[in-house]
């Protein structure tokens, strides 16, 4: 099947990268994906025409943003009778969802555009059950599917080329507790929890992947708690190494915030890595107790 991917993100942006990963998965399944991105402009958004040659023969459309190209994908799908999947990014709804339902104001322009695109699509893809439930509450009747498009399953398929324990100078018998993400919010909590494990679990090591000024502060905190020899703070590592690190760790420690997605948890699931976490809105329908 020839599938068009439509996004208003510039091709080199993180938002576009997630859509390209989805395209890679489609290619792996035998489809052909053709991406249409909005060019970056120094003077803001500029008008441009989509190449007709690329649009010919499309059999399905997938949109990623509720703006110009997202609506273009919807029009092309309706005009040609094509199935249309709209991937609704939770961040468009998060400021609105963060308020209790009785206190939510009427949806703003971005939320209205996103909801209108979802209503006209054949299917909607969302990142969490929280976003799905919010859509149902506002009367969306479009079939909604939980789709972890931020994670590339293909990245976990090649033979492992990186050794987590060797890279971080860990003993071969080390039991690795891995955390990937924002250390400024979760680092101190994880260090405190890990301190309780040091005695009963002497082979445990805590690996905190993430950069920024919080890493230096956590190194001092680990020293103060007396767990410094069992802590590794590698900073921001090459993304190409992460799939192997997920596959070689023993458990993922995840501290959820208010973000509408839990990419490290999805990556751990792709790697077959057990997850220890606390409740969070992005984990509803994704992680179950036990």
């Amino acid at each position: 099947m020839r599938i068009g991917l439509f996004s208003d993100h510039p091709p080199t942006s993180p938002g576009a990268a997630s859509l390209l990963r989805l395209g890679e998965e489609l290619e792996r399944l035998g489809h052909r994906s053709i991406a249409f991105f909005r060019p970056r402009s120094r003077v803001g958004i500029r008008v441009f025409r989509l190449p007709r040659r690329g649009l010919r023969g499309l059999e399905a459309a997938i949109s990623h943003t509720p703006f110009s190209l997202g609506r273009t994908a919807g029009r092309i799908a309706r005009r040609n009778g094509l199935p249309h999947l709209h991937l609704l990014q939770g961040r468009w709804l998060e400021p609105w969802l963060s308020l209790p339902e009785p206190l939510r104001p009427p949806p703003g322009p971005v939320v209205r555009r996103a909801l209108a695109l979802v209503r006209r699509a054949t299917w909607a893809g969302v990142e969490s059950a929280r976003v799905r439930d919010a859509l149902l509450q506002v009367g969306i009747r479009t079939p909604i599917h939980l789709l972890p498009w931020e994670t590339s399953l293909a990245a976990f398929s090649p033979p492992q080329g990186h050794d987590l324990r060797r890279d971080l100078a860990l003993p071969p018998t080390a039991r690795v507790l891995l955390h990937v993400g924002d250390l400024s919010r979760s680092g101190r909590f994880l260090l405190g929890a890990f301190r309780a494990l040091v005695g009963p679990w002497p082979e445990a090591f805590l690996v905190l992947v993430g950069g920024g000024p919080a890493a230096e502060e956590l190194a001092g905190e680990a020293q103060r708690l007396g767990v410094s020899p069992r802590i590794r703070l590698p900073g921001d590592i090459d993304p190409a190494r992460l799939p192997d690190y997920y596959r070689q760790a023993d458990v993922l420690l995840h501290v959820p915030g208010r973000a509408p997605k839990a990419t490290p948890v999805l990556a751990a699931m792709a790697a077959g890595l057990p997850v220890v976490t606390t409740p969070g809105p992005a984990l509803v329908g994704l992680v179950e107790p036990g």
Side-chain angles (χ1 to χ4, degrees):
M1 180 176 282
R2 186 180 170 96
I3 303 173
L5 309 177
F6 296 80
S7 175
D8 286 279
H9 292 296
T12 56
S13 69
S18 65
L19 192 62
L20 290 174
R21 281 194 292 270
L22 176 60
E24 292 172 358
E25 292 297 322
L26 293 172
E27 297 274 353
R28 193 170 63 88
L29 294 172
H31 302 289
R32 183 181 178 191
S33 63
I34 304 168
F36 301 94
F37 294 109
R38 176 172 291 282
R40 187 183 295 276
S41 172
R42 294 183 180 179
V43 294
I45 294 177
R46 60 189 176 92
V47 177
F48 69 102
R49 298 178 65 86
L50 291 174
R52 291 190 176 184
R53 180 178 300 177
L55 295 173
R56 290 193 192 117
L58 286 184
E59 299 173 85
I62 299 177
S63 54
H64 188 240
T65 50
F67 306 112
S68 175
L69 283 184
R71 288 180 288 174
T72 297
R75 286 195 296 269
I76 291 172
R78 291 192 298 274
R79 185 184 306 146
N80 297 284
L82 306 180
H84 173 209
L85 168 65
H86 180 64
L87 301 176
L88 180 62
Q89 301 175 73
R91 66 191 181 96
W92 304 123
L93 299 181
E94 184 58 27
W96 188 57
L97 289 177
S98 62
L99 296 172
E101 189 173 354
L103 301 180
R104 287 178 194 163
V110 173
V111 174
R112 289 200 303 271
R113 287 180 181 180
L115 295 178
L117 200 53
V118 167
R119 287 191 174 97
R120 292 187 171 190
T122 312
W123 310 283
V126 298
E127 301 159 307
S128 70
R130 183 190 186 200
V131 176
R132 178 198 61 198
D133 294 344
L135 293 178
L136 295 175
Q137 288 174 7
V138 297
I140 296 295
R141 296 291 179 262
T142 304
I144 303 171
H145 302 275
L146 289 174
L147 298 175
W149 67 83
E150 293 281 353
T151 303
S152 172
L153 297 179
F156 295 87
S157 301
Q160 299 183 33
H162 305 283
D163 190 318
L164 166 64
R165 287 163 178 79
R166 183 180 60 199
D167 290 351
L168 302 182
L170 297 172
T173 57
R175 306 303 297 270
V176 177
L177 285 66
L178 177 67
H179 171 79
V180 179
D182 182 8
L183 298 180
S184 63
R185 180 176 49 81
S186 57
R188 289 182 179 273
F189 170 78
L190 290 171
L191 284 178
F194 181 73
R195 184 186 185 187
L197 292 175
V198 171
W201 201 8
E203 65 271 27
F205 284 78
L206 177 61
V207 176
L208 301 173
V209 175
E216 295 183 9
E217 297 175 5
L218 291 176
E221 180 69 8
Q223 188 74 31
R224 187 184 70 79
L225 294 174
V227 296
S228 184
R230 308 273 287 282
I231 304 296
R232 297 294 186 272
L233 293 160
D236 289 321
I237 65 172
D238 182 354
R241 293 178 178 268
L242 272 179
D244 286 349
Y245 284 13
Y246 278 111
R247 288 192 280 182
Q248 295 168 22
D250 293 284
V251 66
L252 176 77
L253 303 181
H254 180 70
V255 181
R258 294 171 61 184
K261 58 187 177 183
T263 303
V265 173
L266 295 172
M269 294 171 67
L273 177 65
V275 176
V276 174
T277 184
T278 55
L283 301 176
V284 176
L286 186 64
V287 176
E288 297 181 358

